[in-house]
């Protein structure tokens, strides 16, 4: 027994060291970006030269940056709305439509997450050229809806699946139509998941680079602007300052989305315990 206990403790230490090494490898490079964004030097290297906020000050008054940021916000909001709306429809029909076609569409909607981004970008470029759109803001929105759709489908499908079937059946037994049941019962119970899916879809669209690289016309988004600035060594500190702000906002949005998702799960559990 003692030998087995020692072996278990040794395995636990090894697992803990592995997890620690994994976290350091994954997050240390990310943490270096905020660190060097406050460094009073254009070189991203140690030792640090001093503390400064001048790189953040250079972000204000930059017309090219403001235009790219506005494009990203507009495209992200429209793409998130479209992806969330499609995700709600597809996931609901997959669970309650009882149709092989609905299940097939749901599987296809989740497929882009398995396709390399370069392939998606090239395919979309060929498609928008064939239909006459060409590289444009509309093409980027359509591409971002495609990329964000798997996330919204997964989030909404798990939420609809967590709602007890007796809730929907009770509404139908009381004479409500399918549309009324969806609008008055299922959708309000899933509202936190809807907001969570929208936020996650917005983040995916806001941070997407590969699709934008192929589909952007004369109106680049923020990731494309950052990539263009990396060619100039003197712009690196400004890029790191911008990256730090994007990182902070992304953490806030992702954390809020996760809080909403868990809050919605709690409300669903209370409903399952007390349907009345």
């Amino acid at each position: 027994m003692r030998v087995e206990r020692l072996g278990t403790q040794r395995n636990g230490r090894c697992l803990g060291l592995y997890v620690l090494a994994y976290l350091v490898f994954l997050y240390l490079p990310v943490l270096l970006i905020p660190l060097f964004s406050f460094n009073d030097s254009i070189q991203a290297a140690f030792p640090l030269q001093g503390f400064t906020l001048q790189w953040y000050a250079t972000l204000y008054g930059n017309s090219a940056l403001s235009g790219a940021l506005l494009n990203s916000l507009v495209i992200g909001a429209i793409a998130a709305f479209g992806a969330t709306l499609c995700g709600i429809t597809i996931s609901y029909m997959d669970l309650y439509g009882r149709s092989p076609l609905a299940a097939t569409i749901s599987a296809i909607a989740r497929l882009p997450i398995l396709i390399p981004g370069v392939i998606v970008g090239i395919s979309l470029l060929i498609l928008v050229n064939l239909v006459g759109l060409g590289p444009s803001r509309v093409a980027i929105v359509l591409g971002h809806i495609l990329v964000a759709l798997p996330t919204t489908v997964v989030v909404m499908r798990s939420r609809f699946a967590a709602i007890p079937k007796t809730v929907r059946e009770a509404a139908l037994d009381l004479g409500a139509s399918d549309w009324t049941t969806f609008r008055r019962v299922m959708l309000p119970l899933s509202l936190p998941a809807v907001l969570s899916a929208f936020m996650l879809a917005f983040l995916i669209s806001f941070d997407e680079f590969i699709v934008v690289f192929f589909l952007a016309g004369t109106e680049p988004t923020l990731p494309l602007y950052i990539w263009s600035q990396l060619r100039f060594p003197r712009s690196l500190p400004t890029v790191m300052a911008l990256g730090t702000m994007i990182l902070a906002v992304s953490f806030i949005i992702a954390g809020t989305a996760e809080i909403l998702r868990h809050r919605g799960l709690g409300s669903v559990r209370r409903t399952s315990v007390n349907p009345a």
Side-chain angles (χ1 to χ4, degrees):
M1 292 292 294
R2 185 174 182 180
V3 175
E4 292 180 358
R5 190 180 300 110
L6 291 175
T8 302
Q9 293 177 352
R10 188 180 299 110
N11 292 335
R13 294 194 197 97
C14 293
L15 180 59
L17 291 175
Y18 170 77
V19 172
L20 178 62
Y22 175 79
L23 293 176
V24 170
F25 176 78
L26 186 63
Y27 291 108
L28 182 60
V30 177
L31 296 177
L32 289 178
I33 294 178
L35 178 64
F36 286 122
S37 69
F38 295 105
N39 185 30
D40 191 12
S41 173
I42 63 172
Q43 301 293 331
F46 291 103
L48 302 178
Q49 300 301 313
F51 179 84
T52 182
L53 295 175
Q54 63 173 318
W55 312 123
Y56 290 88
T58 58
L59 297 177
Y60 297 97
N62 189 327
S63 59
L65 171 60
S66 301
L69 176 60
L70 180 61
N71 283 334
S72 289
L73 292 176
V74 172
I75 291 172
I78 297 174
F81 177 80
T84 304
L85 183 62
C86 293
I88 292 172
T89 305
I90 292 172
S91 57
Y92 189 80
M93 291 303 298
D94 182 23
L95 287 173
Y96 301 107
R98 298 175 182 176
S99 168
L101 179 60
T104 303
I105 293 176
S106 178
I108 294 175
R110 287 173 284 177
L111 189 60
I113 200 172
L114 303 176
I115 302 176
V118 174
I119 304 300
V120 174
I122 295 174
S123 303
L124 290 174
L125 178 60
I126 295 174
L127 178 62
V128 296
N129 285 331
L130 288 176
V131 300
L133 285 176
S136 61
R137 184 183 293 187
V138 175
I140 296 175
V141 169
L142 296 176
H144 283 192
I145 290 176
L146 177 65
V147 173
L149 185 59
T151 299
T152 60
V153 170
V154 170
V155 172
M156 294 309 306
R157 193 181 189 281
S158 62
R159 175 51 49 84
F160 286 136
I163 299 176
K165 293 183 179 180
T166 54
V167 175
R168 182 174 180 271
E169 293 171 354
L172 295 175
D173 289 342
L174 291 173
S177 63
D178 287 333
W179 168 245
T180 302
T181 301
F182 170 76
R183 182 172 58 89
R184 301 290 298 273
V185 179
M186 304 300 289
L187 193 58
L189 287 175
S190 305
L191 186 58
V194 173
L195 297 176
S196 177
F198 179 87
M199 291 181 177
L200 293 176
F202 177 83
L203 277 182
I204 292 173
S205 174
F206 190 84
D207 296 334
E208 177 59 39
F209 171 76
I210 298 178
V211 171
V212 176
F213 183 82
F214 286 97
L215 299 180
T218 59
E219 300 177 346
T221 60
L222 192 58
L224 199 59
Y225 169 81
I226 293 175
W227 176 82
S228 67
Q229 293 300 304
L230 291 176
R231 295 176 294 174
F232 309 104
R234 299 189 65 87
S235 299
L236 181 59
T238 304
V239 170
M240 288 190 293
L242 180 59
T244 301
M245 297 179 66
I246 295 174
L247 187 64
V249 174
S250 297
F251 272 122
I252 293 173
I253 294 177
T256 304
E258 188 66 12
I259 291 173
L260 288 172
R261 190 179 70 87
H262 282 287
R263 180 174 297 178
L265 286 175
S267 65
V268 169
R269 293 191 185 100
R270 288 192 295 270
T271 302
S272 63
V273 173
N274 186 16

